[in-house]
Amino acid sequence: MTHLFNLVVPEGRTRSGIDAYLHFKGLELPFELKSTTGSSVSTVRDFGPDHVAKWRDGLHWLFAFYNP
């Protein structure tokens, strides 16, 4: 997805951090990336305050469904 949508993965990315950014018209837009080979997507494994803080401020979501 990062290559397909020209996203930049931050250095030192962590499990609870931002997955990728899109640089667009001088902005750095944060993205959460999710993919699956099934019919549903899980948003988070270990839900906590870090996730609420990350999701609160303009996070964009990108979902990918594909055949294995």
Side-chain angles (χ1 to χ4, degrees), residues 48-57:
D50 290 340
H51 288 95
V52 173
K54 180 173 73 168
W55 296 349
R56 178 180 19 218
D57 299 320

Side-chain angles (χ1 to χ4, degrees), residues 1-2 7 13 19-20 31-35 60-62:
M1 285 191 288
T2 57
L7 301 174
R13 178 177 138 190
D19 289 337
F31 275 80
E32 180 81 9
L33 307 177
K34 299 294 178 185
S35 62
H60 297 79
W61 294 76
L62 188 58

Side-chain angles (χ1 to χ4, degrees), residues 7-67:
L7 301 174
V8 177
V9 176
E11 288 188 39
R13 178 177 138 190
T14 62
R15 182 173 184 73
S16 64
I18 299 298
D19 289 337
Y21 291 94
L22 173 64
H23 295 130
F24 181 73
K25 294 188 178 184
L27 299 173
E28 188 175 67
L29 305 173
F31 275 80
E32 180 81 9
L33 307 177
K34 299 294 178 185
S35 62
T36 183
T37 57
S39 60
S40 65
V41 175
S42 174
T43 55
V44 65
R45 186 176 303 153
D46 300 316
F47 181 76
D50 290 340
H51 288 95
V52 173
K54 180 173 73 168
W55 296 349
R56 178 180 19 218
D57 299 320
L59 182 66
H60 297 79
W61 294 76
L62 188 58
F63 297 92
F65 296 86
Y66 61 96
N67 294 321

